[in-house]
Amino acid sequence: MATIAPPTPVQRPQVRREPSAYEALKAHLAAHPEERLQHSHPWDVSRSDIYFEDRWQPVFAEMRKAGQLHWIPESPFGPYWAVVGHKAIQHIEALPETFSSSWEYGGITILNRLTEEELAAAGVDRRELPMFIAMDRPQHTGQRRTVAPKFTPSAIADMEAEIRQRTGELLDSLPRGKVFDWVDTVSIELTTGMLAILFGFPWEDRRLLTFWSDWSGDTELATVRELDEVRWGILQEMAAYFQSLWIERTMDKEPGSDLISMMIHSEAMNQMRPEEFMGNLILLIVGGNDTTRNTMSGIIHGLDKFPEQRKLFEERPELIPNAVQECLRMQTPLAHMRRTATEDTEVFGQSIKKGDKLVLWYISANRDEEVFDDPDKLDIERENARRHLAFGYGIHRCVGARLAEMQLKVLLEEMHKRRMRVHVAGDVERVRANFVHGFRKLEVEITSF
């Protein structure tokens, strides 16, 4: 009887693994200082230096004192409404038909959608990556519904034991009495591992997920023509790699439970155009990577900056679930989302015109004095910490919010179990960006409590 040969493994495409997005932008601007973005308006909070230097708080406080939203007539990203108040952001998020997220109007970041004339002048084709967070209903609903089962309470409960085991093993491997980078050793390692599990991604290549996330999530790269070409090439390599996984999964006799298999077996997503496939991959990678990664670093920085709160965490571990919410509020790992007005309307006394760009600064809403007392202070006992908007609000609220919360809770619980105290003991370097808000480096040392 003839034996059936096992299927030939799908060949993985060649992909770049360097330079990092950060290194590429830094090198380019050093060589071309004249290309640095210019911000003339004092309230143009799209400038990345205020986040890199951690001096954004007073600017937003001044704006909030003056009103819920403000018209910024000029910026490197064009004119926009800076929506800085908690109430105004919730109001806008609650009206998705009036304030569109669709990529067809410009999508979810502050970047401009180029006109046909601008494209022709630049000599490039239109490059857009539709993803379900940048879609309106009903398209948004069908695609979000496809991946949502992976993030239900029961699905997350099924993953907890593995996440706890991986977290514990990593914490046990950390050096004592030696300074190391928490971002690279802990935050990136835990989040890329989680993403690899969600996608059924080859474990040995998991760091590619961080590499792609950084090239996807840095909005400033897209403002530099030369780097935008590199960025587009890297994202196409990412799509080709995932395409090889897609082909592999279609050969499986039984449908898998990973995100790619779920897309394959979904009517809403199995006929996606290549650009849409790329867009949704970027959404899931950036959403799953940057938010959790930067909050894992923000927790350590926050507890070190507020030692009385660290003492409270050490003495009262029952506060950990609320501490997670408060750390998400304080960190706000994605600084903004963007909406576009589909009609003339009014918001808190301001006249909005059809086509106006509204940038929702979650990072400001989470420090809104009208909602949070003493908002610049970490307070793990804060009664309304859950009112933060770090995951957004309304129909576009982060689909993976519960999973992120669970990963952060497990990290704090496993640290507490080991009586681990983490001190900031060296360089602290923040991300230079107006979209992703986080840490590039956080040098720490571990002691015990």
Side-chain angles (χ1 to χ4, degrees):
M1 184 176 170
T3 56
I4 299 170
T8 307
V10 174
Q11 189 69 33
R12 302 270 180 257
Q14 291 294 310
V15 296
R16 277 167 281 187
R17 297 166 189 264
E18 55 183 31
S20 71
Y22 168 68
E23 288 163 351
L25 186 58
K26 187 176 177 181
H28 182 87
L29 292 178
H32 304 279
E34 74 283 358
E35 291 189 30
R36 289 188 182 276
L37 300 182
Q38 300 300 312
H39 303 263
S40 58
H41 196 285
W43 283 357
D44 177 13
V45 281
S46 70
R47 51 189 307 151
S48 59
D49 57 333
I50 62 173
Y51 307 104
F52 178 71
E53 295 164 9
D54 196 37
R55 55 183 179 84
W56 51 272
Q57 300 89 339
V59 187
F60 281 111
E62 186 182 331
M63 293 168 76
R64 286 193 303 273
K65 195 172 180 181
Q68 291 276 318
L69 66 164
H70 305 280
W71 179 245
I72 310 300
E74 53 186 40
S75 86
F77 307 96
Y80 67 93
W81 287 98
V83 189
V84 296
H86 194 282
K87 285 179 185 172
I89 290 178
Q90 283 192 324
H91 173 80
I92 289 164
E93 294 262 50
L95 298 169
E97 276 73 36
T98 305
F99 302 102
S100 171
S101 303
S102 176
W103 59 275
E104 295 172 288
Y105 298 117
I108 57 164
T109 74
I110 197 169
L111 287 170
N112 278 334
R113 187 175 194 248
L114 298 180
T115 65
E116 296 301 328
E117 292 75 19
E118 288 168 327
L119 288 169
V124 295
D125 295 327
R126 185 170 292 287
R127 294 170 175 173
E128 288 175 319
L129 299 173
M131 55 187 79
F132 66 78
I133 197 173
M135 293 176 183
D136 295 332
R137 295 184 286 202
Q139 202 178 4
H140 164 264
T141 310
Q143 294 201 1
R144 181 182 168 107
R145 198 173 281 152
T146 297
V147 300
K150 197 71 180 170
F151 303 104
T152 60
S154 60
I156 289 167
D158 291 343
M159 288 187 269
E160 183 170 345
E162 184 178 0
I163 290 170
R164 193 172 292 280
Q165 181 185 342
R166 284 180 49 250
T167 303
E169 288 172 355
L170 179 63
L171 293 179
D172 288 337
S173 74
L174 297 177
R176 299 289 179 122
K178 178 184 171 187
V179 174
F180 66 95
D181 181 11
W182 180 270
V183 174
D184 186 69
T185 311
V186 179
S187 304
I188 289 177
E189 190 56 32
L190 287 178
T191 48
T192 50
M194 185 72 252
L195 275 175
I197 291 165
L198 288 172
F199 280 116
F201 196 86
W203 191 254
E204 66 279 6
D205 279 344
R206 66 191 181 280
R207 284 282 176 137
L208 278 170
L209 295 166
T210 302
F211 177 72
W212 291 330
S213 177
D214 290 345
W215 273 97
S216 307
D218 192 335
T219 51
E220 283 201 37
L221 288 166
T223 68
V224 179
R225 169 79 191 283
E226 186 181 312
L227 293 181
D228 199 35
E229 293 295 319
V230 177
R231 180 179 187 241
W232 191 252
I234 286 171
L235 296 183
Q236 287 176 313
E237 291 171 4
M238 175 199 74
Y241 192 108
F242 271 98
Q243 191 67 33
S244 73
L245 296 177
W246 183 287
I247 293 166
E248 224 167 48
R249 303 291 147 80
T250 59
M251 298 175 182
D252 293 342
K253 290 181 180 175
E254 297 291 329
S257 60
D258 60 277
L259 287 171
I260 297 172
S261 297
M262 292 166 81
M263 289 182 191
I264 289 170
H265 296 280
S266 152
E267 283 186 20
M269 296 184 90
N270 64 11
Q271 299 298 320
M272 287 184 290
R273 293 179 292 118
E275 296 82 6
E276 209 170 315
F277 182 49
M278 284 170 70
N280 278 312
L281 291 174
I282 289 168
L283 167 62
L284 293 166
I285 291 170
V286 174
N289 182 56
D290 284 324
T291 50
T292 315
R293 169 175 96 182
N294 287 315
T295 308
M296 282 179 173
S297 301
I299 282 173
I300 299 305
H301 188 267
L303 291 176
D304 185 81
K305 186 178 177 182
F306 295 93
E308 77 288 353
Q309 295 299 305
R310 178 164 62 196
K311 190 167 187 292
L312 205 53
F313 155 70
E314 292 169 356
E315 292 173 351
R316 297 181 56 195
E318 71 275 10
L319 290 174
I320 286 174
N322 199 62
V324 166
Q325 301 300 326
E326 175 67 352
C327 289
L328 281 161
R329 181 191 73 82
M330 285 289 285
Q331 181 57 37
T332 315
L334 290 179
H336 79 260
M337 284 283 170
R338 174 257 186 94
R339 301 291 182 259
T340 305
T342 60
E343 60 186 63
D344 291 354
T345 186
E346 188 176 293
V347 176
F348 287 83
Q350 300 282 13
S351 295
I352 311 295
K353 300 296 181 193
K354 180 179 179 179
D356 280 359
K357 179 195 303 187
L358 298 95
V359 182
L360 315 180
W361 293 100
Y362 298 146
I363 198 168
S364 174
N366 284 345
R367 301 292 179 100
D368 192 332
E369 301 81 355
E370 290 186 13
V371 180
F372 304 107
D373 291 335
D374 201 359
D376 292 326
K377 178 184 184 295
L378 182 74
D379 178 5
I380 66 172
E381 293 182 286
R382 189 181 296 278
E383 290 182 3
N384 67 346
R386 279 189 173 274
R387 288 192 64 190
H388 71 80
L389 300 179
F391 291 124
Y393 184 80
I395 66 166
H396 289 288
R397 188 176 189 273
C398 176
V399 70
R402 286 196 193 96
L403 178 58
E405 290 167 347
M406 191 262 278
Q407 289 175 267
L408 297 167
K409 180 175 78 76
V410 166
L411 175 62
L412 284 176
E413 287 172 349
E414 294 302 309
M415 284 172 57
H416 194 279
K417 194 185 294 182
R418 289 160 177 76
R419 301 187 67 78
M420 184 180 283
R421 179 182 289 169
V422 186
H423 305 264
V424 176
D427 288 347
V428 177
E429 187 178 342
R430 290 176 169 80
V431 174
R432 187 185 287 275
N434 64 27
F435 184 59
V436 172
H437 181 235
F439 294 85
R440 195 165 301 288
K441 183 191 285 186
L442 185 64
E443 292 187 330
V444 301
E445 188 174 6
I446 294 174
T447 61
S448 300
F449 66 85

